[in-house]
Amino acid sequence: MAVIDQSHIRNFCIVAHIDHGKSTLADRIIEHTGLLTSREMQAQVLDNMDLERERGITIKAQSVRTVYKARNGEEYIFNLIDTPGHVDFNYEVSRSLAACDGAILVVDAAQGIEAQTLANVYLALDNDLDVFPVINKIDLPSAEPQRVIDEIEDVIGLEAQDAPLISAKNGIGIEEVLEQIVEKIPAPKGDPAAPLKALIFDSLYDSYKGVIVFCRVMEGTVKKGTEILMMATGAKQEVVEVGTFGAGQFIPCDELSAGMVGYIMASIKNVKDTAVGDTVTDANRPCAEALPGYKKVQSMVYCGMYPADGAKYPDLRDALEKLKLNDASLHYEPETSIALGFGFRCGFLGLLHLEVIQERLEREYNLDLVTTAPGVVYKVFKTNGEMIELTNPSNLPDPAEIEHMEEPIVSAEIMVTSEFIGAIMELCQERRGRYLGMEYTTGGRALIRYELPLNEIIYDFFDALKSRSKGYASFDYDIKGYEVSKLVKLDILVNREEVDALSFIVHGESAYERGRKMCEKLKEEIPRHLFEIPIQAAVGGKVIARETVKAMRKDVLAKCYGGDITRKKKLLEKQKEGKKRMRQIGNVEIPQKAFMSVLKLDEN
Amino acid sequence: MKQKLELYFHIPFCERKCLYCDFLSAPATEQTKEQYMEALLTELVGSAKQYKEMVVETVFFGGGTPSTVDAKYIKEICLAIREHFFVSEDAEITIEINPGTVNRDKLKEYRSAGINRLSIGLQSALDEELKRLGRIHTWAEFLETYNTARELGFDNINVDLMSALPGQSAEDYERSLQKVLALTPSPEHISAYSLILEEGTPFYRMHKAGEISFPTEEEDRAMYHLTKEVLAEAGYQRYEISNYALPGKECRHNSGYWRRVNYVGYGIGAASLVQGQRFQNTEELGSYISNPLGEKQVIEQLTEEDCMEEFMFLGLRMITGISTGEFEQIFEIPVEEVFGEVIEKNIRDGLLERFWVEGEERIRLTETGLNVSNYVMAQFLLD
């Protein structure tokens, strides 16, 4: 392919709230730019993990390069960089955005602006991107394009009167979007002769080729043979191949120069060496300074993961190792629990990230897992001046040694129709929220701002938000920092024995409520034994809630017809099998699912 | 001595499905019933040769509601048994009947066919409860059936009762019990089960939807104790977890199951145990009718271990429990060597006990153990 000058390159991404049609629009763009025939198109080309398709979200950023012949007769290279769509991956989003020069904002013609729309637009504007809006789903009966246009102008302050009115699903208005990409998204700049400076926005581990780095070249040129240096991690390697992204495949090319988006292969063995946000430069002719914005990714949420069958511990270790190859934001280290045996304490970007990893372990690696309650990272300041970052409640030092503790706080934005403002504020107050302010927008909606402790939103906040707003509220957050907080460790005692895997850190004022709910839930899950079993919640040795599993008094088989002994035996075998799935704590058998059920302490 | 054999005939038809029932049974047209009964006869006659070295000790027509089919078919089968099998002189021949599906003529036919034991599905003596269960008969209809049977000379009758019915109080249940005991003469045998909610039944759905509620565990236990006390006072002996009989009137057929006697089941879904092999017929009506002698699905060739397990968990259903000597005689190994740990643990937990009858050591469930028999029996399954 002939070298195309910078003025004919457009590097952009699509930002949208979940379900507003981002992936569908991406599909249409790829289809209309003709690199793929309709037959080759999978339903959604960009989301290539099954899990992503099922959940309708993008987890790992993907990119694609296509060619568009514009109405002016010129050919343009489009590099569409897909961004993850969830708050857990905010940092990855920001780096993907930094690789672009502009963004398309997709807004649902019926739903209008949502919290995530705002968060993503602000992120795009922070990265100095030129953003133009597109109104999608205009063929819906409930579509109100004009209201949404007004809302965009009013709330975000973006010119929206000439926004393309489209239906990505039905292929309406796509040409107009393509033309506006050419018109409104600026061409990249940068000097191909300057020292190499490329931004890593993603990477992928391939067992044959090693790590494949996805990058945007800002300055200079990279080609086969260039010795590259990752400026933050210090990793150094010689480039084996560079290329661009076809749909679902890598297309090698001679070089990547300033303004281009593509991949670099350099026999790198570990994704840890290719951190998202890092700058790639030429080891022999390094650039003066790295690109701004690099952050070391921190795990925000931790939980213990144990194989349901203790013998599968090595399998779990291998599976985590493999996942880690492709996911630098996953952390894990071995730990042991009296209740659950050998397992791992794992760190995640957020609860969604946790769920995704858990599901992948279960599906792709066929593992049966027991997961402990997720918690955040607390800072424990000890009286001896030491500070520890606590990821496992069991490691909390003796209260006498603790000077004070701090917990992470987020600033949250919640977008909701005005009738639910009261309900949502009540929820935020219950979750120890600090009210920051509220703005009314067009269409009878409001944007509510709160500061909330992260540990109050990692469990079921999103579900609660949805149920209290009949599904109308949307929510986004940003980690703000740490604050001093009155935190306690809540212990659960089953038949007077502490079950370490059920301990967790909670705010002093919520301890009673949480303890009570835990006990109620466990009472449902623990089967009856021949004796009575007290279930207690305790803080610092003081019992604050109690339930009792009554002694078993009846367990008999129903009448079976004829000599169907096989059926009787199956029932008994089921019972015996059930016992195998139990964890023995003292002389009490606790089903494995009891450990999981306490993760979902329902509202009512 | 010839080996003992029991025959079971499954009649999978009923007038209407009761709300708690999860047995293989459903209403059917006369034509289907006719085809099915013919198939049953074919299967019986076709298989008879295999069992010519055995002696039939008991015959049981179960269901469904066997009395819902024309009595002539039952009679045909009874005649065929006599023609093709060696039948013990004092064989116990039982049919399950439901009030509302029999009359004097039908009962007469049964009698002339050689049937000498009736098992009547009463379930409750209170009309309101019968209605709630979805039963098709009333107490008055039961009385008529019962009295007619007595008049015709049936002198071995079982009555089925159920406790822990939705909305039932202990007093309600006692009224049912007393009404049954007041029958003259009173039944020789009473089966008293507590209702178990089975998945897939209308009751299960109704319970999930909160439309019906069952007695609390305390009430359930109260009914259970009531059964024991009231029936003991009236001279009944409990010989199995849920079965009571006047002396010598225990159901030989069912006891055979617990003692692992050979039995052959005829009809859809019917299970058999013959010389250590368990097999079962198809559960599909259509394929059974078109090929009643079709290949049986062999469920398992019982291993020595299976037999030991079954000896224990089936034997423990009986109030007299198991004989340790018999175990050793059959398996040529002391029971302690196989199950010693489980036995000792459950004795310690107060669920099993050792006792001696005429110098023979036996092991049985204690009163507490009977309440949680599943819990105990499951432990006798070997890994």
Side-chain angles (χ1 to χ4, degrees):
Chain A
M1 189 177 294
V3 175
I4 297 201
D5 68 279
Q6 283 179 350
S7 69
H8 286 72
I9 297 177
R10 295 291 180 274
N11 298 322
F12 63 96
C13 58
I14 306 172
V15 294
H17 185 73
I18 186 164
D19 282 342
H20 280 198
K22 183 173 84 167
S23 299
T24 318
L25 177 59
D27 288 353
R28 290 298 159 271
I29 291 174
I30 294 163
E31 217 173 42
H32 278 71
T33 46
L35 258 193
L36 279 180
T37 64
S38 304
R39 199 166 52 82
E40 285 169 334
M41 298 276 300
Q42 273 181 290
Q44 291 188 348
V45 171
L46 289 183
D47 293 349
N48 65 4
M49 270 199 271
D50 283 351
L51 210 55
E52 292 182 350
R53 198 162 302 144
E54 276 169 35
R55 294 184 163 221
I57 48 166
T58 307
I59 299 160
K60 204 132 177 79
Q62 301 289 322
S63 306
V64 66
R65 172 194 149 118
T66 63
V67 180
Y68 173 61
K69 190 158 186 198
R71 283 182 198 145
N72 64 14
E74 310 262 329
E75 278 198 336
Y76 290 84
I77 295 279
F78 283 1
N79 282 307
L80 168 54
I81 297 169
D82 199 17
T83 58
H86 191 273
V87 58
D88 279 7
F89 306 98
N90 248 350
Y91 174 68
E92 293 193 2
V93 176
S94 80
R95 292 307 86 199
S96 295
L97 294 175
C100 302
D101 302 298
I104 305 172
L105 167 66
V106 180
V107 185
D108 184 307
Q111 295 186 329
I113 292 175
E114 300 284 358
Q116 217 178 51
T117 320
L118 281 180
N120 286 331
V121 169
Y122 292 147
L123 216 48
L125 296 174
D126 283 350
N127 279 286
D128 291 328
L129 301 193
D130 286 9
V131 181
F132 76 86
V134 163
I135 315 297
N136 191 20
K137 305 195 190 181
I138 51 148
D139 52 343
L140 287 183
S142 53
E144 293 179 82
Q146 194 52 50
R147 178 182 73 79
V148 173
I149 287 170
D150 292 345
E151 198 176 45
I152 294 171
E153 297 199 328
D154 184 37
V155 180
I156 308 174
L158 272 183
E159 166 63 39
Q161 290 308 326
D162 64 344
L165 304 180
I166 71 164
S167 162
K169 192 173 155 212
N170 295 313
I172 302 167
I174 307 300
E175 278 290 319
E176 189 49 34
V177 177
L178 299 173
E179 284 299 315
Q180 291 207 2
I181 292 171
V182 174
E183 257 172 60
K184 297 195 166 174
I185 292 184
K189 298 187 189 80
D191 178 3
L196 176 63
K197 195 187 245 187
L199 171 72
I200 302 180
F201 61 86
D202 199 2
S203 60
L204 179 85
Y205 178 81
D206 180 283
S207 48
Y208 296 105
K209 295 171 172 159
V211 179
I212 301 165
V213 177
F214 294 17
C215 65
R216 153 78 190 268
V217 182
M218 298 298 186
E219 302 278 352
T221 302
V222 59
K223 58 180 128 189
K224 186 177 170 180
T226 308
E227 197 188 350
I228 51 169
L229 168 72
M230 317 290 164
M231 295 179 77
T233 66
K236 222 188 260 188
Q237 278 295 341
E238 195 183 295
V239 174
V240 179
E241 182 183 314
V242 296
T244 58
F245 306 108
Q249 56 185 327
F250 296 108
I251 300 168
C253 65
D254 295 337
E255 59 175 41
L256 294 176
S257 60
M260 292 175 79
V261 171
Y263 68 89
I264 301 174
M265 292 178 195
S267 311
I268 304 159
K269 289 281 170 274
N270 202 317
V271 279
K272 266 192 296 196
D273 292 331
T274 58
V276 168
D278 198 355
T279 305
V280 183
T281 191
D282 186 335
N284 300 314
R285 191 185 162 222
C287 56
E289 59 183 51
L291 293 159
Y294 171 75
K295 275 199 296 193
K296 197 159 184 266
V297 181
Q298 298 282 343
S299 293
M300 296 312 301
V301 174
Y302 278 83
C303 77
M305 284 190 169
Y306 293 81
D309 173 0
K312 291 278 173 68
Y313 175 80
D315 299 18
L316 175 58
R317 187 192 54 216
D318 292 351
L320 283 169
E321 238 167 54
K322 283 191 187 127
L323 288 180
K324 169 92 183 159
L325 282 176
N326 242 330
D327 186 349
S329 48
L330 168 67
H331 292 278
Y332 63 91
E333 56 186 63
E335 71 170 5
T336 51
S337 149
I338 300 161
L340 299 175
F342 292 98
F344 294 92
R345 174 96 346 206
C346 304
F348 307 93
L349 296 172
L351 200 62
L352 178 82
H353 187 211
L354 184 159
E355 283 174 12
V356 167
I357 295 291
Q358 190 184 336
E359 278 192 51
R360 291 190 66 188
L361 287 169
E362 288 178 347
R363 277 193 210 188
E364 294 169 28
Y365 296 92
N366 210 10
L367 289 163
D368 206 355
L369 298 175
V370 180
T371 314
T372 66
V376 302
V377 184
Y378 298 96
K379 288 183 177 169
V380 182
F381 294 84
K382 294 171 69 174
T383 46
N384 65 4
E386 226 182 288
M387 189 276 278
I388 51 173
E389 293 199 337
L390 187 76
T391 58
N392 182 348
S394 301
N395 299 337
L396 187 73
D398 189 282
E401 293 174 28
I402 300 172
E403 152 72 25
H404 74 276
M405 287 173 72
E406 291 182 4
E407 66 176 332
I409 304 289
V410 304
S411 37
E413 292 189 331
I414 300 163
M415 193 94 192
V416 69
T417 43
S418 31
E419 54 183 312
F420 298 112
I421 291 174
I424 295 306
M425 288 179 64
E426 198 182 303
L427 171 67
C428 292
Q429 298 295 347
E430 284 168 22
R431 301 298 177 103
R432 299 190 283 132
R434 191 185 302 141
Y435 177 72
L436 294 182
M438 180 167 65
E439 290 156 35
Y440 285 96
T441 73
T442 43
R445 300 204 303 162
L447 178 68
I448 314 173
R449 292 201 172 83
Y450 263 91
E451 276 179 7
L452 288 154
L454 181 61
N455 89 342
E456 294 285 345
I457 60 173
I458 58 170
Y459 298 95
D460 52 357
F461 184 75
F462 195 66
D463 292 342
L465 197 69
K466 287 285 174 192
S467 73
R468 294 202 194 181
S469 66
K470 303 215 163 79
Y472 283 112
S474 61
F475 161 71
D476 212 313
Y477 68 83
D478 225 353
I479 302 290
K480 186 179 153 267
Y482 275 77
E483 277 183 19
V484 176
S485 178
K486 196 184 148 245
L487 298 163
V488 294
K489 177 164 152 250
L490 184 70
D491 294 317
I492 299 294
L493 289 82
V494 173
N495 206 20
R496 298 187 175 82
E497 288 212 37
E498 191 180 311
V499 184
D500 61 354
L502 291 174
S503 294
F504 63 101
I505 306 285
V506 61
H507 188 262
E509 279 166 24
S510 327
Y512 169 72
E513 187 65 13
R514 290 293 284 278
R516 192 177 57 77
K517 282 187 182 170
M518 289 274 282
C519 290
E520 282 171 7
K521 196 83 185 180
L522 285 168
K523 183 190 172 185
E524 285 169 30
E525 295 292 339
I526 296 178
R528 294 183 171 198
H529 285 53
L530 294 172
F531 45 88
E532 197 176 274
I533 304 167
I535 300 169
Q536 297 160 304
V539 170
K542 188 170 162 257
V543 173
I544 55 167
R546 175 187 165 130
E547 290 284 341
T548 306
V549 178
K550 284 200 250 168
M552 173 168 58
R553 298 177 61 193
K554 178 191 173 188
D555 183 13
V556 291
L557 279 181
K559 183 178 182 177
C560 286
Y561 87 79
D564 197 354
I565 307 298
T566 309
R567 179 169 146 166
K568 291 185 178 68
K569 198 161 154 182
K570 272 187 192 143
L571 287 168
L572 294 178
E573 265 161 6
K574 210 166 129 192
Q575 184 157 2
K576 184 164 177 170
E577 203 45 46
K579 280 173 89 77
K580 282 191 190 157
R581 302 186 139 265
M582 305 263 192
R583 298 286 178 155
Q584 185 90 26
I585 307 288
N587 53 355
V588 178
E589 285 161 335
I590 304 180
Q592 292 182 341
K593 72 183 209 313
F595 292 95
M596 321 277 277
S597 71
V598 298
L599 310 187
K600 299 208 163 85
L601 301 173
D602 299 334
E603 287 282 302
N604 303 311
Chain B
M1 201 177 74
K2 286 192 172 187
Q3 276 197 29
K4 290 178 182 175
L5 182 66
E6 304 195 333
L7 304 181
Y8 174 79
F9 294 89
H10 189 62
I11 315 294
F13 307 117
C14 49
E15 299 287 298
R16 192 176 73 199
K17 200 91 175 142
C18 299
L19 299 175
Y20 54 85
C21 174
D22 77 329
F23 286 178
L24 187 54
S25 160
T29 62
E30 278 311 315
Q31 198 198 352
T32 307
K33 289 179 189 172
E34 185 184 339
Q35 287 174 343
Y36 181 81
M37 295 309 289
E38 274 167 14
L40 213 48
L41 196 62
T42 311
E43 191 193 0
L44 173 73
V45 174
S47 74
K49 245 195 284 177
Q50 290 172 248
Y51 308 114
K52 63 177 191 293
E53 297 302 322
M54 299 184 183
V55 53
V56 174
E57 287 287 336
T58 69
V59 176
F60 199 101
F61 292 92
T65 307
S67 53
T68 196
V69 301
D70 198 312
K72 71 177 181 202
Y73 301 121
I74 303 290
K75 198 167 177 179
E76 265 174 20
I77 289 174
C78 288
L79 292 176
I81 295 170
R82 303 234 172 233
E83 190 181 332
H84 297 278
F85 287 79
F86 185 81
V87 182
S88 160
E89 219 169 287
D90 67 341
E92 173 194 277
I93 303 175
T94 309
I95 185 165
E96 287 183 333
I97 62 171
N98 264 349
T101 61
V102 286
N103 51 26
R104 180 174 288 268
D105 289 344
K106 219 173 213 177
L107 291 170
K108 241 192 221 165
E109 288 274 318
Y110 292 159
R111 193 101 185 100
S112 69
I115 290 173
N116 53 23
R117 186 172 181 272
L118 296 178
S119 176
I120 310 179
L122 171 62
Q123 318 309 353
S124 165
L126 308 184
D127 285 345
E128 201 185 309
E129 286 178 356
L130 289 171
K131 213 164 149 189
R132 236 178 285 150
L133 290 171
R135 302 286 296 175
I136 57 164
H137 59 85
T138 60
W139 166 251
E141 282 169 300
F142 164 79
L143 263 188
E144 198 188 316
T145 301
Y146 187 84
N147 292 331
T148 309
R150 287 302 195 198
E151 280 167 30
L152 290 172
F154 282 101
D155 58 0
N156 193 359
I157 297 181
N158 166 59
V159 173
D160 275 345
L161 274 180
M162 268 201 267
S163 61
L165 308 180
Q168 186 183 44
S169 68
E171 292 73 43
D172 295 337
Y173 178 62
E174 187 168 8
R175 273 165 64 205
S176 269
L177 269 180
Q178 295 296 2
K179 279 173 93 167
V180 169
L181 291 174
L183 294 166
T184 38
S186 58
E188 284 70 27
H189 189 286
I190 294 174
S191 286
Y193 289 93
S194 58
L195 186 135
I196 306 262
L197 202 52
E198 301 286 355
E199 263 179 66
T201 60
F203 264 11
Y204 190 82
R205 285 192 294 277
M206 289 157 83
H207 176 66
K208 287 272 154 183
E211 291 162 16
I212 48 172
S213 65
F214 289 89
T216 63
E217 200 176 53
E218 282 68 29
E219 289 167 326
D220 177 281
R221 289 295 88 187
M223 293 183 210
Y224 170 85
H225 289 296
L226 204 65
T227 313
K228 272 192 316 190
E229 277 168 37
V230 172
L231 292 184
E233 210 170 297
Y236 289 84
Q237 274 175 359
R238 183 188 193 190
Y239 69 98
E240 196 258 1
I241 293 178
S242 309
N243 285 293
Y244 299 80
L246 294 176
K249 296 294 184 181
E250 295 83 9
C251 173
R252 285 158 53 194
H253 185 83
N254 278 333
S255 301
Y257 291 145
W258 317 138
R259 296 203 167 90
R260 309 187 62 252
V261 171
N262 292 317
Y263 56 87
V264 183
Y266 294 100
I268 57 168
S272 305
L273 169 69
V274 179
Q275 286 164 341
Q277 197 178 62
R278 283 198 190 291
F279 46 89
Q280 190 167 20
N281 279 350
T282 172
E283 293 198 353
E284 289 210 7
L285 191 61
S287 44
Y288 178 74
I289 287 175
S290 61
N291 187 12
L293 282 166
E295 212 172 314
K296 314 271 181 217
Q297 192 201 340
V298 175
I299 299 173
E300 50 189 346
Q301 176 67 50
L302 297 181
T303 62
E304 184 88 342
E305 280 197 351
D306 292 328
C307 293
M308 290 190 223
E309 287 173 359
E310 289 184 5
F311 181 93
M312 297 305 289
F313 78 73
L314 294 174
L316 286 174
R317 287 191 73 93
M318 293 179 293
I319 302 303
T320 54
I322 59 108
S323 150
T324 55
E326 193 186 339
F327 185 96
E328 195 167 342
Q329 195 188 331
I330 297 173
F331 301 109
E332 296 172 340
I333 182 172
V335 71
E336 281 77 17
E337 266 186 45
V338 187
F339 296 111
E341 213 174 297
V342 182
I343 292 171
E344 291 315 317
K345 176 183 178 290
N346 283 282
I347 288 177
R348 275 200 308 279
D349 289 347
L351 303 177
L352 284 180
E353 63 187 357
R354 275 204 185 84
F355 68 111
W356 280 263
V357 184
E358 294 160 6
E360 181 192 51
E361 187 195 47
R362 300 187 71 89
I363 294 170
R364 67 180 169 197
L365 288 165
T366 60
E367 213 29 71
T368 319
L370 284 167
N371 290 339
V372 294
S373 55
N374 267 3
Y375 173 84
V376 180
M377 290 170 183
Q379 298 174 53
F380 279 94
L381 296 184
L382 298 163
D383 286 313

